[in-house]
Amino acid sequence: MKKVIIAMVALLVVAGGSFGAFLAVKNKSDKETEKQVSELAENDLFSFDSETVTEISFDCPDGHYKVIHEDDNWKLDTNEFVVDQDYIDTLLYLVSDFTAETNYGVPDDNKKSMYGLDNPAETITISDGEETYKIYVGNITPTNDYYYFMVEGKDKVYTINSIQGSVLKASRMMLKAKDLIPYDSTGIKQITVKKDGVITYDITYDTETSTWSLPEEYSELPFDQTAVGSMLTTLTRLESEQLLEEYLEDMSKYGFDKPTAEVTIKGTDGTQKDFIIGGQGDNNQTYIYVLMKDSNQVARFYTSDLNFINYKPLNFLPDSVTSAGIYNINGFDFIFGDVQDSFTLNMTDRILEMNGTAVDMENSEIYTGFQNFYNSFSTIIFTDTDIEATPDNSDPVLTAIYHFDDSDDIKIDFVSAGDDKCYIFKDDVYTGGIVDMSRLTGKNSTQSFYNSFCERAGILRTVRSNPLAEEY
């Protein structure tokens, strides 16, 4: 029994010792936690509603700037330049609930100087009309990981990571809008691009019809509205990768003396923006320089973002155009080389006559062969435009005349343009469009599809191996 009591006492002693140690450790941990919480609380600097801010002042090495909130936008009080809305929004997002990474306590004069806070390079003052919040920005740490800063009303030095801190390093170029143009997709009326002093394309928006078009001389060609839409989506969102110098005098410095392109964009509000595209910004051609003519501001953009300067009128044409839908016609005449055929057609009921002879369109091979033949010349794929040419269609390579029940005939002529090209005429009027001759002769061409169709249908007709031989 005595041994049992001794053992129990021993256990209690052990247990008591362990519990006491636990209490000691816990007490120490609680004090450390309280200290950490207290220190973290000291790092909570600002907390305010960014929506209530009315003005922000920036004292920077390159000047003093004040931006004011007006009509749901941030504007420079002097209206000297357009303010970068995204930059102001980012700044307010950062400081409206502002917490430092660490604090270095109260500095003496030597430390203030070491931190760059004896005469701060940047000071940002934020006001909501009632309260004012001021931030003094110092140097970056030797490891480039943090920036030192102080705030008005507190006597300690704090740090913030360098990525966030870079937002506090305000400057004129940080404040300036980085947009290539100040318009949205509905605010542009005209875009003109020149290369070597010659207009490569000029498109205009009609506010009454809500459509874009090329100049009148291209009116015979179809216009693809979606091509402009996709271009504007990119164009109106473009921002420079970096703003460089202002008030440029030496035009050769960035290649503006021999520009890659010159661009004019007019807004529906009557304003316009002119800029010059200069040389490449690096050997890899990743960047390209742009000069805003109204301010002589040089900016660097990603080359791929400015691809619209390489567009031609061809870029605004549909990928393909159908001269006449196969289900919309009641027949057509086909003239190609020494072949002249007349077709009567009701595609819905699969009724076809060729030169007065019925063709079995219930036969799937014949049916498919006829479709391939018809599409080969009725589907026009433009490869270029040339409005300066003055061809005539007195001797076309191929002519197709489409007949309709309730409208006039449509006549399409393919006229040799040399260099394996053809001009396209519609109803004896030159459209300005050019197609490849390979659409007519060679493999997978009108010639091959015609011959294949006739063979499947058991029709003894063929386009000779080179119906254009006399022209070459």
Side-chain angles (χ1 to χ4, degrees):
M1 183 67 180
K2 186 176 180 180
K3 290 183 178 180
V4 174
I5 293 173
I6 293 171
M8 290 179 64
V9 170
L11 286 172
L12 287 171
V13 170
V14 172
S18 299
F19 186 60
F22 168 75
L23 289 177
V25 170
K26 184 177 185 303
N27 185 50
K28 180 181 179 183
S29 177
D30 287 346
K31 288 182 178 179
E32 289 179 349
T33 300
E34 288 176 6
K35 181 181 179 183
Q36 290 174 353
V37 169
S38 176
E39 289 177 349
L40 287 174
E42 288 184 355
N43 291 351
D44 289 335
L45 306 175
F46 300 146
S47 183
F48 59 86
D49 183 359
S50 62
E51 297 293 327
T52 64
V53 176
T54 56
E55 66 178 50
I56 308 173
S57 294
F58 299 87
D59 287 291
C60 314
D62 55 10
H64 172 82
Y65 307 96
K66 180 191 287 187
V67 298
I68 55 177
H69 196 248
E70 187 177 287
D71 299 330
D72 292 327
N73 274 299
W74 289 99
K75 300 178 181 179
L76 197 68
D77 62 340
T78 62
N79 289 319
E80 183 183 356
F81 54 77
V82 178
V83 173
D84 187 337
Q85 306 296 312
D86 290 338
Y87 170 66
I88 301 298
D89 290 342
T90 302
L91 172 67
L92 290 178
Y93 178 81
L94 173 64
V95 301
S96 61
D97 191 7
F98 198 24
T99 302
E101 293 275 349
T102 56
N103 80 70
Y104 283 75
V106 180
D108 57 26
D109 290 344
N110 287 335
K111 286 187 176 179
K112 260 194 174 183
S113 176
M114 181 179 70
Y115 298 144
L117 291 166
D118 55 335
N119 185 23
E122 290 87 15
T123 300
I124 300 174
T125 306
I126 300 166
S127 175
D128 60 8
E130 295 182 1
E131 298 289 336
T132 297
Y133 310 90
K134 185 172 286 189
I135 305 168
Y136 306 95
V137 188
N139 298 331
I140 196 167
T141 61
T143 58
N144 293 326
D145 292 327
Y146 301 93
Y147 277 100
Y148 300 109
F149 71 94
M150 297 181 73
V151 298
E152 189 173 61
K154 295 182 181 291
D155 56 1
K156 294 181 173 61
V157 172
Y158 303 92
T159 61
I160 187 172
N161 73 68
S162 56
I163 295 176
Q164 292 178 315
S166 63
V167 178
L168 304 177
K169 298 291 287 184
S171 66
R172 181 182 178 90
M173 293 306 169
M174 288 275 281
L175 288 168
K176 291 189 72 172
K178 314 300 185 296
D179 310 278
L180 179 65
I181 55 175
Y183 312 115
D184 60 23
S185 57
T186 61
I188 299 178
K189 182 175 178 60
Q190 186 175 8
I191 302 174
T192 306
V193 176
K194 291 182 180 179
K195 288 191 173 184
D196 296 325
V198 177
I199 294 177
T200 53
Y201 73 86
D202 181 21
I203 57 174
T204 305
Y205 183 71
D206 187 328
T207 55
E208 293 185 2
T209 61
S210 299
T211 57
W212 285 88
S213 64
L214 288 159
E216 178 64 26
E217 51 266 36
Y218 292 92
S219 61
E220 294 296 328
L221 292 170
F223 192 96
D224 183 7
Q225 299 295 322
T226 61
V228 183
S230 59
M231 183 182 81
L232 291 182
T233 297
T234 300
L235 180 59
T236 55
R237 296 177 182 177
L238 282 184
E239 293 186 353
S240 65
E241 188 273 336
Q242 183 181 4
L243 293 180
L244 302 174
E245 61 186 282
E246 291 180 291
Y247 312 116
L248 180 70
E249 294 183 359
D250 182 5
M251 297 290 281
S252 65
K253 183 175 180 180
Y254 300 98
F256 298 129
D257 55 331
K258 297 177 181 178
T260 300
E262 299 173 73
V263 181
T264 297
I265 299 180
K266 296 181 179 180
T268 54
D269 59 0
T271 63
Q272 75 177 53
K273 288 295 178 180
D274 300 279
F275 46 94
I276 300 174
I277 313 298
Q280 301 293 336
D282 62 2
N283 293 331
N284 295 324
Q285 299 186 346
T286 304
Y287 303 106
I288 196 167
Y289 297 117
V290 175
L291 176 66
M292 316 297 184
K293 292 184 70 175
D294 56 354
S295 62
N296 270 8
Q297 171 73 61
V298 180
R300 190 171 71 175
F301 286 81
Y302 286 104
T303 304
S304 58
D305 286 342
L306 298 184
N307 188 49
F308 74 94
I309 66 172
N310 299 316
Y311 281 20
K312 298 178 181 179
L314 180 67
N315 291 93
F316 302 104
L317 305 186
D319 291 336
S320 62
V321 180
T322 301
S323 300
I326 195 170
Y327 286 90
N328 299 330
I329 62 173
N330 59 36
F332 64 95
D333 298 327
F334 175 76
I335 305 168
F336 188 24
D338 57 356
V339 165
Q340 296 188 32
D341 294 316
S342 179
F343 294 84
T344 301
L345 174 66
N346 182 333
M347 197 65 178
T348 301
D349 296 332
R350 293 199 175 195
I351 297 173
L352 174 67
E353 289 187 359
M354 178 178 178
N355 301 321
T357 301
V359 177
D360 182 10
M361 291 288 277
E362 296 301 328
N363 181 300
S364 60
E365 288 192 358
I366 296 175
Y367 179 85
T368 301
F370 175 74
Q371 282 188 310
N372 290 338
F373 156 59
Y374 182 85
N375 291 334
S376 69
F377 63 88
S378 294
T379 300
I380 297 176
I381 300 175
F382 293 106
T383 56
D384 203 353
T385 62
D386 185 356
I387 59 170
E388 302 297 330
T390 57
D392 69 78
N393 64 332
S394 59
D395 187 23
V397 176
L398 184 151
T399 297
I401 304 172
Y402 303 91
H403 309 300
F404 304 84
D405 288 328
D406 52 3
S407 60
D408 295 336
D409 291 351
I410 292 177
K411 178 187 177 188
I412 300 295
D413 290 318
F414 294 73
V415 175
S416 175
D419 297 325
D420 295 329
K421 306 289 183 183
C422 281
Y423 299 116
I424 299 297
F425 281 75
K426 180 179 179 181
D427 295 332
D428 298 320
V429 176
Y430 173 49
T431 64
I434 294 175
V435 300
D436 283 342
M437 188 74 78
S438 60
R439 292 282 299 172
L440 305 183
T441 63
K443 187 178 180 180
N444 296 325
S445 66
T446 298
Q447 174 192 5
S448 62
F449 285 124
Y450 175 86
N451 291 341
S452 176
F453 160 67
C454 290
E455 181 179 352
R456 292 178 181 184
I459 299 171
L460 299 177
R461 293 185 62 79
T462 183
V463 175
R464 57 196 172 98
S465 59
N466 188 355
L468 312 176
E470 295 177 359
E471 301 193 25
Y472 291 90

